[in-house]
Structures are given as structure tokens and as C-alpha cells.
Amino acid sequence: MATHLIIVESPAKVKTIKKFLGKGYKIEASLGHIRDLPTKELGVTEGEEFLPTYVIIPGKEKVVNKLQKIAAKVGNIYLAPDPDREGEAIAWHIAEVIKQKNSNFLRIQFNEITKRAVLEALNNPRSLDEKLFNSQQARRILDRLVGYKISPLLWKKVQRGLSAGRVQSVALRLLVEREKERYSFQPQEYWVFKALLKKSEYELQADLVKISNKKAKITNEKQASELKDYLAKQQFILHKIEQKQQKRNPKPPFITSTLQQEANIRFNFSASRTMSIAQRLYEGVDLGEKGTIALITYMRTDSVRIAPEAQKLAREWIKKTLGSKYCPPKAKKYKTKSTAQDAHEAIRPVDPTLTPEEIRAYLPADQFKLYKLIWERFIASQMTSATILATIFHIQAGKTLWQTKGEQIAFPGFLKIYSPGKIKENLLPNLTEGTNFNLEKLDIKQKFTQPPARYSEATLVKKMEELGIGRPSTYATIISTLLARKYALLEEKQLIPTELGMSVCDLLIQHFPKLLDVNFTAKMEEELDKIAIGEKDWQEVLREFAKEFYPTLEAAQKEMRSLKNGEQTEIKCSKCGNPMLVKFGKNGPFLACSNYPKCKNTSNFKRTENGEIVLIKPEEQPPKIVGKCPKCGNPVVEKKARTGARFLACSNYPKCNYTASYSTKVPCPEQGCDGELVERSTKKGKIFYACSNYPKCKFAVWNYPVAQKCPKCGFSILVKKESKARGEYLACPVKGCRYWEKIE
Ligand SMILES: [Zn+2]
Ligand SMILES: [Zn+2]
Ligand SMILES: [Zn+2]
Ligand SMILES: [Zn+2]
């Protein structure tokens, strides 16, 4: 019998598949793509047709040679990259480079890497699908045209090395528009009233909801204090008890976007980290004596479809392990969004009966967390709904109405396995209607409405999915590209557009309105989907795009204003009074005088919450006198070491050589140590604060310490930090204690 060759992308997949098959198969990995467009030139013909020229990716020659050599000696070649357009393209390129040696290719694909799925695929191979490949090529060429044509324009007009991307620019626009909404946001004052009520030994807290039968709205201090006086004279009465049974349904199993969102919310994983962990789980993980086993189905999908066999296994597991009341009589069905390509299944455990605990010992922490999340979500999706018993006390005090709500789980259903945000049971005391309460305390707080929140990775993925921009295969890359290009930064889980990102976005919106249009981009995604199912010709789609793109490109080349000369601000130069300009330098944006080169004044700046530019004040210039020299009696001044740390020195230097460390006066938190924390800097110029008893005591922190006890863990110091999202704040330096508070 002739030997056959199976080609996959990754060595992990090779290991997983190997043990299913006998000696008749050789399995090799292509290590991802082997061919792509060249990096040094456009690589696409422009005109009536947009035809790509592919080259072997530098460094991949060895792999190609090896595959060619083996191909010449085998019977069939089964191309088995991932089951999507990208995988089809990898298969196509492999076929192209080995067809001279052997052209008996067959394409096989599997949604889960199990023995059954692999054997079934080998028994039902198909030929390569040109439609899927063309859809991938069209995306590649669109992105290439946008990147290669617009980037040089940005180099000329803004800064060298910048680049523009097709879908990323639209995602950036979402971030920028949100930031501008925040700038123009006007906070509204409102007051919140809570009442602590008591009846014999029972205590409860109620929220003010209505005044004179209208939604309670207290907008200033005068109204608040009037209401306070009014309430002091009222009797609080339990006016009505309302009881409701609420059903809570499980969520459908994961698709790419929901998995990325949930892993970001729960574990703070970035979308790309989630995808790379999921890829490992899909390709196979070493489970000791069980060998290498694939744990989840393919992770790039927008379908919630479930294979009937997997559903059957899940239902049996639920009945056997949890009891039949946790398994609905009829299997749950979920509806996939109509725009989705239903080629795949939901992301689910390959073997629903393999619990996370059984394999915990073999998995690195990240893989375990993600498998557990996927497993729980899938099992829960096949379980019965939960029944929550809600009790609401409607309490009246004169013309005001108050509410307090209790929740009790009557039947946990799927919550037994998967409870996002864990429902807190909260029982109300057993009281009857008409009960009178004593008002123990009124809790009155002044509040302000908050501006719309910045996007997190989770909410941006959700938004992109809603708008139809990006696809399961692209969400993660879009976000990581925005961060890598410094168009946005990630702080405290928030995606914040940078000064550069905002300026580039404005320029692109002005000159490429179509390209930056959400609907246009969403329509383009649909066109690519249509190419994949043969409803649209890929060259046709590219031609239509070009008809729009080239004229706008030409106009932009002529008309785009240059930011190299800076953008004017309201700030006046402190030296000559001319307006200052925002310019982009190697180390980010800065302010420079518009009277350059006559005036060379520059300054750093930041933006306020309203988006106004303000200067960051440079350190005080004249030397600070901080005491008398113990050696000679002359003033001691503060100085800066070459590496940046402050220290104290006698002003009579070099006659007197007295020096001392710059002390924060904060006692060292190490038990039994009588040192103080003093400022130091590393050889590379990073400042830190270390114990003055060094080397006897090795305590040190990176941030400026203050002698304030952590209210959470009791550690004796906190440190000062600053971030764009939080402003200035104090944080506990103890690892794992996440305590922080704002500096007012
Ligand atoms: Zn000036
Ligand atoms: Zn001195
Ligand atoms: Zn110490
Ligand atoms: Zn702490």
C-alpha cells in the first residue's frame, strides 16, 4: 500500500493526529502560511484585473523543499489546514508549490480533532474550494491596497513609519468618537437617597424611587435638604409586598466574539491571548498517559450550532451527574445570527463528559481557565432554566415611595454549573403589609452622571460584531494592531485613543470618508462572504472598490493637510506669546512654538477630561533649600543625580562634601526595621524608593511611598500612581492586594 501524506499547519496538530492513524500516513506541518504577497512591493496588478504575485515567505524555503521532497514519494496528499478561508488559502498555496512533484491533492477538514472526525474526513475528501480561496485573496488584496497606498501618504503628512489599515481604521474611529463624546459630556447633578429602616430586630435598606408618583429626581442641594426635612416627619410603612417568579435562561454556547468578551471580563485576557490559548486547546494538549488530545472544537466561528452527538453526550452527563431535573425534556436549540456563515459549530468541549477537574493537573493555568469556561458554558447551555423568586417591598413615606428587593433561588437549573456574576441570595425579613418602620438613618449622596464609558476589548468586540465589521478570524488582530501602532493604548482595561490615533483618524475621515464608514466596511465584509459562497466574483468586488478608492486617493495626495508643521492650539508660548502647535515626535506628541526656528520653546502637555490641552509643569528651577549642613552650617540643597534620583548636598560644595539621601520620611514597612524609604535610581535611570538600611534591609518599591495603612490588607504604606483612566491615585504595593483610592 502506498504511503499518503497529510499536511497540517502546526506541529501540535501533527502530534494529535498521528496516534489516530497507522503506518500508511506521513504527517507534516507547514508552520502556517508558506506564500504571501511580497513585503517590498505592492505585488498586485492594478487596472482591469487585480492579480496577486505570491512569493515564498522568507525563511519558509526549507519547509517548502521538505514538503516537495516527501510529496514526490507518496500516493495522495491530504491538505488539512484549519476549516476556514485562511486554512483554504494555506492549502491552496501548498498545492501550488508541490503540484510539479505530485498533484493528487485532496482537501480534508475537521471541526474537531478526534479519531472519528479525522477518519471521516479521510473517507470523504473534497477538492480545493476556489471560492473560499478567492474570498481570502480578495480580503488580502483589499487590505494590501489600503495599507500600501495610504501609509506613504501618512509618512509624508504626519510621521514616518505610520500605517493605515482597512478595518482597523474603522475600529479606531469608534474609539475616537467615544472619546469625543466624553470630551463634550456635561455631567448632571443628582442626589441619591437611601433609608436604613428598622422594625424590631429587622433592618433593611430601601432606595427612593418615586416622589408624588413620578420618578424621583433631585437635582440640587436645596431640593435634597427640603426632602430630608420632609422625610424626618414621615412614617415609613410597608405598603405592598410583591412576589415574582423569574426565569433565567442559560446563554448559548460560545462563538468567537462571546468567548473573547467573557475571557476579557473574567480573566482580563486580551482577545489575541484568548485566541492563542484556544488554538492550543483545539490543536491538542499533552494529557500525560492519555497522550495528546484535542479539547475544544474550532475556535473561529460565528455559529451556535451543536453536533447532535455532542448534545446527546452532554444531556446524558447532566442526567447522570446532576439528576434529570437539570436536563430539559427537549434538547435546547439556539438560533445563529442570520448573517453568520453556518459552516462551523459553536465552540464546545470535544468530549462534553471530560470535566475540567479531571485534566486540571495537566494544563497550564491559562489553558485550564479557558477550558473550564468553555466547558461550563456549553454544559449550562444544555441545562434547564433557573427559577428566581423575587420579593419586592414597596414602602411609603408620605408622598415618597421606596423599594427594596430580595432574591432567592427557587431552583438553580444551569446556575449550578455556570453563574456569571454569581447571583447573591438576599432574603427579606418576614414582615406583613402595613408594618411601620423606624427611620434609623438617611443616607444622602450627591452624584453626577458619568460620561459614556470607553471601550474595553470586550465591548469593542461586541460593538464590531453588532456593526458587522470584522469577522471571527479578525477581531483579535484588529485590536492588537491598533495597540501595536500606538493609535490606542490599554489602561485599566480601557482602550484609549492616543493623540496620534485621534489626528490620523480625523485626517482619514476627512479624505477617505467611504473607507472610514462603518456601513461601507460592513458591506465589504458581506461581499467577501458572498465571494466565499460563489454569489459574487472576486475581481468584480475589487474593481468596484478600486473605482471608489483610486480617485479619493489621488485627491487626498493633493489636498491632505500636513500635520508635520503642527496643529494649532489655544495655548500661548510662555516665551514669545505666539500660539503653540501640537507636533508628533519620536517620543510622542509635544507642543512647540509656532515661531520656530526663532523661538525654540517646547513643552509637554496632557488633555483634561474635556479634551482641553494643558501644559505639564516642568520641575521648579531654582534649587530648593532643605536645611542646614551639619558639617559647615551652609544651606543644604536638593540636587539630582545623573541617573535621576534626588539627593541632598551642601551648597558649599566643593569646599564641603556633605551629601545625604533624599528621604521620603516614610518609615520602612519591614517589621523591626528602623530605616526610612529614600529615593534611588537604577543605572538605567529608573527611580525607586529603598530602605535607608540597605543592604541590611532590602525593601524597595517603584513608586513614591506615603505613610498610610492599606485598609484592605493592613500593609503600612501605600504608593502614589497615575494613569489616564484613574488620574492620580494611591495603591497598595502588596502583590495580589488590588486596593486603590483616588487622590482628591
Ligand atoms: Zn515662542
Ligand atoms: Zn557643608
Ligand atoms: Zn528597612
Ligand atoms: Zn493592601
Side-chain angles (χ1 to χ4, degrees):
M1 196 179 83
T3 304
H4 301 304
L5 171 63
I6 298 179
I7 303 176
V8 295
E9 311 89 326
S10 75
K13 245 178 166 179
V14 173
K15 259 175 117 182
T16 311
I17 294 176
K18 208 161 220 163
K19 57 174 201 176
F20 303 145
L21 301 171
K23 287 219 177 72
Y25 293 94
K26 261 188 129 52
I27 309 169
E28 290 293 329
S30 71
L31 308 174
H33 271 286
I34 52 156
R35 292 204 316 178
D36 193 8
L37 296 172
T39 49
K40 294 216 172 76
E41 53 189 4
L42 185 64
V44 178
T45 61
E46 297 168 272
E48 261 318 286
E49 293 211 294
F50 294 83
L51 297 172
T53 310
Y54 293 111
V55 296
I56 303 285
I57 296 170
K60 283 300 182 68
E61 299 84 359
K62 248 181 155 170
V63 178
V64 172
N65 283 339
K66 187 175 174 200
L67 292 179
Q68 284 173 335
K69 234 179 244 159
I70 300 171
K73 291 185 246 160
V74 297
N76 291 336
I77 299 166
Y78 294 96
L79 302 168
D82 286 347
D84 58 12
R85 293 173 206 169
E86 212 58 43
E88 202 69 21
I90 293 176
W92 196 281
H93 288 305
I94 294 172
E96 281 295 314
V97 300
I98 56 178
K99 67 181 177 195
Q100 267 98 10
K101 310 285 176 188
N102 183 341
S103 60
N104 300 326
F105 328 111
L106 292 161
R107 170 82 164 113
I108 56 170
Q109 62 179 40
F110 15 83
N111 193 53
E112 56 179 58
I113 309 177
T114 56
K115 185 168 186 182
R116 190 186 52 75
V118 171
L119 292 180
E120 201 177 288
L122 283 169
N123 286 330
N124 302 285
R126 60 170 171 83
S127 47
L128 284 165
D129 187 337
E130 193 168 7
K131 301 187 296 291
L132 293 179
F133 177 46
N134 284 344
S135 175
Q136 189 271 351
Q137 292 197 91
R139 176 189 294 282
R140 188 79 191 87
I141 292 171
L142 285 172
D143 290 347
R144 171 57 62 120
L145 288 176
V146 170
Y148 268 57
K149 297 289 177 180
I150 299 183
S151 300
L153 194 57
L154 293 179
W155 298 1
K156 230 191 286 167
K157 306 289 185 180
V158 188
Q159 193 183 5
R160 242 199 112 67
L162 292 183
S163 54
R166 193 172 56 88
V167 188
Q168 293 91 281
S169 301
V170 183
L172 176 60
R173 179 181 193 161
L174 296 176
L175 302 185
V176 170
E177 281 177 352
R178 179 58 53 87
E179 200 67 13
K180 288 185 175 167
E181 272 174 61
R182 289 169 59 88
Y183 285 166
S184 58
F185 179 79
Q186 302 284 350
Q188 303 291 322
E189 181 182 354
Y190 68 100
W191 291 70
V192 177
F193 277 62
K194 287 178 191 295
L196 186 65
L197 303 173
K198 210 166 174 183
K199 172 67 189 175
S200 42
E201 79 269 28
Y202 299 122
E203 258 187 6
L204 53 88
Q205 197 185 43
D207 300 311
L208 174 64
V209 287
K210 281 183 173 178
I211 302 173
S212 305
N213 260 323
K214 271 186 270 170
K215 190 170 178 259
K217 224 178 140 191
I218 303 138
T219 54
N220 57 52
E221 193 167 3
K222 187 165 163 278
Q223 286 175 6
S225 79
E226 278 169 13
L227 184 61
K228 187 182 165 197
D229 295 343
Y230 172 80
L231 289 170
K233 289 174 252 152
Q234 304 306 317
Q235 179 64 54
F236 284 72
I237 304 164
L238 179 47
H239 158 74
K240 203 175 97 192
I241 298 173
E242 187 187 351
Q243 287 205 313
K244 287 195 277 200
Q245 274 218 350
Q246 293 169 334
K247 260 209 153 66
R248 208 155 297 179
N249 296 319
K251 287 187 178 158
F254 281 127
I255 57 178
T256 306
S257 60
T258 49
L259 176 65
Q260 289 174 354
Q261 288 165 46
E262 201 64 25
N264 181 253
I265 292 166
R266 291 216 195 180
F267 315 133
N268 201 10
F269 286 177
S270 67
S272 45
R273 182 158 165 217
T274 298
M275 289 316 273
S276 74
I277 300 167
Q279 180 99 36
R280 294 305 308 265
L281 297 177
Y282 163 71
E283 290 180 343
V285 179
D286 189 2
L287 294 185
E289 61 277 12
K290 283 187 182 166
T292 304
I293 286 186
L295 292 176
I296 63 167
T297 53
Y298 192 51
M299 63 283 153
R300 293 192 189 92
T301 174
D302 49 11
S303 168
V304 291
R305 208 167 53 82
I306 302 164
E309 314 85 73
Q311 191 164 41
K312 208 175 134 226
L313 281 174
R315 288 172 58 82
E316 275 161 15
W317 185 89
I318 294 164
K319 273 186 221 163
K320 210 180 96 204
T321 322
L322 303 169
S324 51
K325 59 180 191 242
Y326 287 96
C327 187
K330 263 177 81 184
K332 293 237 180 201
K333 272 214 166 110
Y334 295 98
K335 248 186 108 177
T336 297
K337 240 177 47 188
S338 60
T339 53
Q341 300 296 299
D342 211 22
H344 296 133
E345 266 191 74
I347 304 169
R348 60 161 175 87
V350 163
D351 177 2
T353 67
L354 186 63
T355 63
E357 285 310 323
E358 272 176 80
I359 51 175
R360 178 173 210 152
Y362 304 105
L363 299 184
D366 282 0
Q367 290 181 14
F368 172 73
K369 275 187 194 167
L370 204 68
Y371 179 69
K372 185 164 184 278
L373 186 66
I374 292 166
W375 184 85
E376 289 177 348
R377 173 91 162 213
F378 174 67
I379 295 292
S381 78
Q382 299 307 311
M383 291 173 69
T384 42
S385 306
T387 311
I388 311 288
L389 193 63
T391 307
I392 302 167
F393 283 2
H394 298 269
I395 296 160
Q396 194 170 10
K399 62 178 180 180
T400 63
L401 267 180
W402 304 68
Q403 264 186 17
T404 186
K405 198 176 168 190
E407 269 190 339
Q408 197 181 351
I409 298 174
F411 176 65
F414 75 97
L415 292 177
K416 208 169 167 81
I417 292 284
Y418 183 87
S419 46
K422 288 256 158 64
I423 292 186
K424 265 188 276 153
E425 281 213 324
N426 163 26
L427 300 183
L428 293 182
N430 208 349
L431 297 171
T432 51
E433 287 180 1
T435 302
N436 283 329
F437 292 105
N438 284 331
L439 175 60
E440 285 288 301
K441 204 183 136 206
L442 261 186
D443 183 12
I444 304 173
K445 278 209 175 92
Q446 182 191 33
K447 301 224 165 175
F448 291 91
T449 52
Q450 293 297 307
R454 293 195 178 101
Y455 287 102
S456 65
E457 288 204 44
T459 55
L460 185 62
V461 168
K462 191 166 178 217
K463 189 76 187 175
M464 288 195 286
E465 191 190 23
E466 270 169 30
L467 296 172
I469 58 177
R471 284 292 179 265
S473 53
T474 57
Y475 300 133
T477 343
I478 290 170
I479 295 174
S480 53
T481 310
L482 285 180
L483 294 172
R485 289 180 181 169
K486 300 211 163 61
Y487 288 155
L489 48 93
L490 190 62
E491 251 185 33
E492 322 286 353
K493 284 183 115 173
Q494 304 180 9
L495 288 162
I496 307 173
T498 59
E499 202 65 37
L500 178 67
M502 295 185 79
S503 292
V504 168
C505 185
D506 285 348
L507 279 184
L508 293 177
I509 290 175
Q510 199 183 340
H511 295 281
F512 300 94
K514 258 275 173 70
L515 208 57
L516 270 277
D517 182 70
V518 169
N519 294 326
F520 177 77
T521 307
K523 211 190 117 223
M524 197 50 86
E525 295 287 356
E526 285 166 23
E527 303 270 82
L528 294 173
D529 292 347
K530 282 182 186 161
I531 296 171
I533 52 174
E535 281 181 11
K536 201 104 202 209
D537 174 61
W538 67 299
Q539 287 298 326
E540 183 67 39
V541 170
L542 290 171
R543 266 195 297 275
E544 276 166 28
F545 174 79
K547 219 163 53 191
E548 181 73 41
F549 179 63
Y550 282 89
T552 45
L553 180 69
E554 216 172 287
Q557 276 159 345
K558 283 188 207 126
E559 292 156 16
M560 190 183 279
R561 71 179 196 282
S562 173
L563 297 189
K564 283 211 166 144
N565 301 324
E567 282 203 281
Q568 230 184 65
T569 68
E570 312 263 288
I571 305 248
K572 296 270 178 281
C573 174
S574 59
K575 290 193 176 143
C576 73
N578 279 300
M580 298 290 276
L581 306 170
V582 173
K583 288 191 174 179
F584 295 100
K586 254 186 274 161
N587 301 318
F590 63 99
L591 288 178
C593 181
S594 55
N595 198 17
Y596 181 87
K598 270 192 197 150
C599 173
K600 295 202 170 73
N601 190 19
T602 62
S603 172
N604 289 322
F605 72 97
K606 58 182 179 186
R607 286 195 188 260
T608 64
E609 271 169 33
N610 305 322
E612 279 163 43
I613 288 177
V614 291
L615 295 177
I616 297 173
K617 296 220 170 58
E619 258 97 39
E620 316 283 27
Q621 289 309 318
K624 241 172 146 178
I625 297 170
V626 287
K628 257 186 186 170
C629 175
K631 268 187 171 173
C632 73
N634 275 305
V636 169
V637 294
E638 202 179 290
K639 285 191 169 174
K640 244 183 195 173
R642 200 177 34 81
T643 50
R646 288 170 285 190
F647 67 100
L648 308 181
C650 180
S651 58
N652 200 16
Y653 179 84
K655 276 188 193 153
C656 170
N657 63 2
Y658 170 79
T659 62
S661 300
Y662 178 89
S663 174
T664 62
K665 303 278 189 319
V666 173
C668 174
E670 210 65 59
Q671 263 194 14
C673 176
D674 62 354
E676 275 180 356
L677 298 181
V678 298
E679 190 163 288
R680 301 255 182 252
S681 41
T682 64
K683 278 195 190 115
K684 285 201 169 147
K686 194 168 175 195
I687 305 237
F688 65 100
Y689 299 87
C691 181
S692 54
N693 282 344
Y694 181 85
K696 242 178 34 201
C697 170
K698 297 212 163 57
F699 182 85
V701 283
W702 285 115
N703 300 92
Y704 196 92
V706 289
Q708 203 174 313
K709 212 171 180 176
C710 171
K712 199 171 150 200
C713 75
F715 197 62
S716 69
I717 64 163
L718 294 176
V719 297
K720 265 190 200 169
K721 289 187 171 183
E722 194 181 355
S723 78
K724 205 169 170 187
R726 287 179 184 167
E728 270 204 303
Y729 66 100
L730 292 177
C732 177
V734 173
K735 233 187 164 177
C737 173
R738 300 236 168 79
Y739 178 78
W740 70 279
E741 64 182 54
K742 237 185 144 73
I743 298 177
E744 297 300 340

